[in-house]
Amino acid sequence: MARRSLLFSPGDSPDLMRKAPGAGADVICFDLEDAVAPGRKDEARAAVGEVLADPSFDPDAEVCVRLTAESPAADLDGVLGGDGEDGTGDETGAVRLDAVMLPKVEAADRVERVAELCAERGRDLAVFALVETAAGVLSAQSIAAADATDALVFGAEDLAADVGATRTDEGTEVLYAREHVVLAASAAGVDAIDTVYTDFSDEAGLREDAAFARRLGYDGKLAIHPAQVEPITEAFTPDPADVEWAERVLDARDEAKREGRAVFQVDGEMIDAPLIAQAERILDRAPDADR
């Protein structure tokens, strides 16, 4: 599935959570961490659980909850309605939840543990591992390679705070980490989702930043405001001409396989393994592609 845009929505605001799917993001993520004050965690867990259990809540998007780093078990219990002591939870799947995001991941075993917590509550959920500290970035390869990891997410703002860097418009202070995360995700074959662009009123800057993230190899980008979803989704959606080229490449590849040929060409260009991989990646990013 395409994960071009992931929109955060505060977990203590039911009205905003219900409106979130209307922004058109590929993933909507109800946030129990940064967006919720410490004293409102229980209230937010209950609010998220109520929205997700509403039969009328069935968005055409992947639904995710960002857990807290300190108490993921309590978060899952609050959202799924189980006590977690004897493996109880939402075993019927009545709560609409597809994934969880774990913040401040610094080791692969934390991803595996949250997957175990989900399984104990009767759910097999995709896990988005958010790396946003120096230790997390340096461990990104093993985190991405963990069996439970489905996507690797880069958090530049917390990383800058962790290392004492000064954030700039150019972003050179986090460029190495940004590249390291996408390399780790690619090596493990999981999605790479880029950091937020904090100025939600600057559409031109967002488009430029998203286009750069795509050139680095990211599959999508985080959004903190509904207005950011469309520019981000557009940035990570291949042009129709690219989609047509990719379909021709894969059609030609399939024909060559049937005829027992290892070499073939498209539009006068010899096609090799890297170009086939590029074509596959383009179609993966194009939700409406004919494949």
Side-chain angles (χ1 to χ4, degrees):
M1 73 185 68
R3 289 170 173 156
R4 300 162 298 177
S5 50
L6 184 153
L7 174 64
F8 285 116
S9 186
D12 59 352
S13 300
D15 288 344
L16 293 180
M17 286 190 283
R18 292 182 185 279
K19 292 177 181 177
D26 292 324
V27 186
I28 53 174
C29 186
F30 297 157
D31 191 6
L32 295 175
E33 197 208 19
D34 289 346
V36 179
R40 291 174 56 85
K41 298 296 184 183
D42 286 341
E43 180 181 345
R45 291 164 180 149
V48 171
E50 181 178 352
V51 171
L52 296 183
D54 185 343
S56 67
F57 182 79
D58 189 23
D60 186 21
E62 189 172 13
V63 179
C64 177
V65 170
R66 176 157 68 165
L67 309 175
T68 61
E70 299 80 11
S71 52
D75 298 332
L76 288 168
D77 290 340
V79 169
L80 297 176
D83 60 23
E85 294 298 324
D86 58 0
T88 60
D90 179 49
E91 297 181 6
T92 65
V95 173
R96 169 63 196 278
L97 185 60
D98 305 308
V100 292
M101 182 183 296
L102 187 63
K104 295 182 173 60
V105 179
E106 295 184 343
D109 59 357
R110 289 205 61 225
V111 184
E112 302 291 3
R113 179 53 185 154
V114 82
E116 291 173 1
L117 291 174
C118 294
E120 289 169 4
R121 289 152 180 81
R123 301 302 291 263
D124 179 17
L125 303 176
V127 180
F128 293 62
L130 177 53
V131 291
E132 49 188 340
T133 64
V137 170
L138 293 176
S139 300
Q141 185 173 0
S142 61
I143 293 169
D147 289 340
T149 301
D150 206 64
L152 201 61
V153 186
F154 176 51
E157 305 308 316
D158 282 83
L159 174 65
D162 186 47
V163 303
T166 300
R167 291 291 275 129
T168 65
D169 291 340
E170 295 77 17
T172 52
E173 68 282 353
V174 296
L175 181 56
Y176 165 76
R178 202 175 184 185
E179 293 174 328
H180 185 75
V181 168
V182 76
L183 286 172
S186 180
V190 300
D191 287 339
I193 301 177
D194 189 40
T195 190
V196 300
Y197 188 80
T198 57
D199 187 354
F200 57 82
S201 65
D202 181 10
E203 181 177 330
L206 171 63
R207 288 185 180 277
E208 182 179 349
D209 192 57
F212 180 66
R214 179 182 173 183
R215 291 196 297 272
L216 288 179
Y218 277 91
D219 298 287
K221 189 171 180 64
L222 304 176
I224 56 173
H225 190 281
Q228 294 184 315
V229 170
E230 183 176 355
I232 289 174
T233 301
E234 288 180 359
F236 288 93
T237 300
D239 295 331
D242 292 334
V243 173
E244 291 176 4
W245 171 84
E247 289 176 339
R248 289 199 302 275
V249 167
L250 297 191
D251 286 342
R253 177 203 61 187
D254 294 343
E255 182 179 354
K257 283 183 178 180
R258 288 193 296 269
E259 296 176 355
R261 293 184 287 111
V263 178
F264 62 96
Q265 61 179 354
V266 172
D267 300 337
E269 179 182 24
M270 297 302 299
I271 303 298
D272 55 8
L275 289 178
I276 292 173
Q278 181 181 347
E280 292 173 336
R281 187 176 180 85
I282 287 172
L283 295 188
D284 285 344
R285 285 177 165 174
D288 298 326
D290 188 22
R291 280 185 184 267

